[in-house]
Amino acid sequence: MSNPEFTVFIIDDDAAVRRSLKLLIEQENIRVRVFENAEVFLKALQPEFKGCIVTDISMPGMDGLQLQEILHLHQYTMPVIFLTGYGTIPRSVRAIKAGAVDFLTKPITREKLLASIRAAFVECERMMEASRNNREAKSRLSKLTEREREVMVLVVQGFSNKEIAAQLKISHRTVEIHRGNIMHKTGAANLLELVQLAHECELDDYNYSN
């Protein structure tokens, strides 16, 4: 059903709900950890945590949406499934827009919860892969000089060598040398790979100006 390294992290202020969810999920041979509120979870949170979070959206202190915002801010690659007994459409829309995998109303059926967890694990794999790609891309770009980065930004935006030379006030030959260095240092085999690399590091929409 899932990656054996994944864990479902249950966060709910209702002890009975925590126990029932834990039992239900463990019956599927999935690892589970439970927390009585978001603050306790954040204190225990480690970068190596993998899996998904199943959390009540309304809790004393920090609520589920606030927790989701903190996770997003610190770029934790764990999808969130919200549970609520009295969800409203605006809150569910806000949760989904912020990246929640699902928004389920209590009492939740076994089938719906497990289906959401399966989807969350798939999303976790995707997020982890994207994070690895992003780190690799940033590592490759870190080898470039400031001028080479400027040239790369213009290259991936589709400017010709002549246009780049004019914008940066350097010679056409210097642009060619920089382009060669960029391809060598980044390991990009062609322009398409270079564009993808820039996209990973969000350089493709960066506007260079003198």
Side-chain angles (χ1 to χ4, degrees):
M1 172 181 168
S2 64
N3 187 321
E5 296 182 357
F6 284 176
T7 300
V8 176
F9 300 89
I10 299 171
I11 307 170
D12 199 299
D13 59 304
D14 188 322
V17 170
R18 294 197 302 270
R19 286 194 299 268
S20 62
L21 291 177
K22 185 174 187 291
L23 178 62
L24 186 156
I25 297 168
E26 285 181 336
Q27 287 175 347
E28 297 294 315
N29 295 317
I30 301 172
R31 292 190 298 185
V32 179
R33 291 184 61 179
V34 298
F35 302 86
E36 60 266 34
N37 57 53
E39 289 87 350
V40 172
F41 170 74
L42 287 175
K43 287 181 181 178
L45 182 60
Q46 298 294 325
E48 61 267 22
F49 281 7
K50 301 174 185 176
C52 72
I53 296 167
V54 177
T55 181
D56 192 352
I57 197 167
S58 299
M59 297 179 287
M62 183 184 298
D63 66 22
L65 289 172
Q66 291 171 321
L67 171 63
Q68 183 186 31
E69 290 171 358
I70 290 175
L71 293 171
H72 179 73
L73 178 65
H74 293 282
Q75 300 181 332
Y76 279 99
T77 54
M78 278 198 296
V80 179
I81 298 169
F82 284 112
L83 300 180
T84 182
Y86 42 89
T88 63
I89 291 177
R91 294 193 95 188
S92 63
V93 169
R94 179 182 165 193
I96 297 299
K97 283 186 175 180
V101 173
D102 216 337
F103 191 94
L104 307 174
T105 303
K106 300 174 185 176
I108 182 66
T109 66
R110 175 191 183 91
E111 292 73 20
K112 282 188 176 180
L113 179 59
L114 293 177
S116 292
I117 290 173
R118 292 187 188 100
F121 283 169
V122 170
E123 177 63 8
C124 184
E125 292 276 14
R126 187 201 66 76
M127 293 170 69
M128 290 169 59
E129 178 65 21
S131 180
R132 284 192 293 268
N133 290 342
N134 184 262
R135 289 195 300 271
E136 179 186 348
K138 288 181 177 179
S139 175
R140 291 160 69 182
L141 287 187
S142 69
K143 302 173 184 177
L144 302 180
T145 65
E146 182 178 352
R147 177 62 87 188
E148 288 167 350
R149 286 172 66 90
E150 292 170 352
V151 171
M152 177 178 168
V153 168
L154 296 173
V155 167
V156 300
Q157 289 178 349
F159 291 99
S160 67
N161 286 358
K162 183 178 179 180
E163 292 169 328
I164 295 172
Q167 286 201 46
L168 299 182
K169 296 181 174 60
I170 57 180
S171 71
H172 183 278
R173 176 56 182 160
T174 300
V175 174
E176 291 181 340
I177 293 172
H178 284 318
R179 288 190 68 151
N181 289 340
I182 291 166
M183 301 302 282
H184 175 72
K185 290 181 180 180
T186 62
N190 50 50
L191 180 57
L192 182 61
E193 287 189 12
L194 193 66
V195 170
Q196 180 60 37
L197 184 64
H199 179 69
E200 290 284 349
C201 293
E202 300 179 348
L203 288 180
D204 47 345
D205 60 354
Y206 176 80
N207 291 316
Y208 171 76
S209 59
N210 294 328

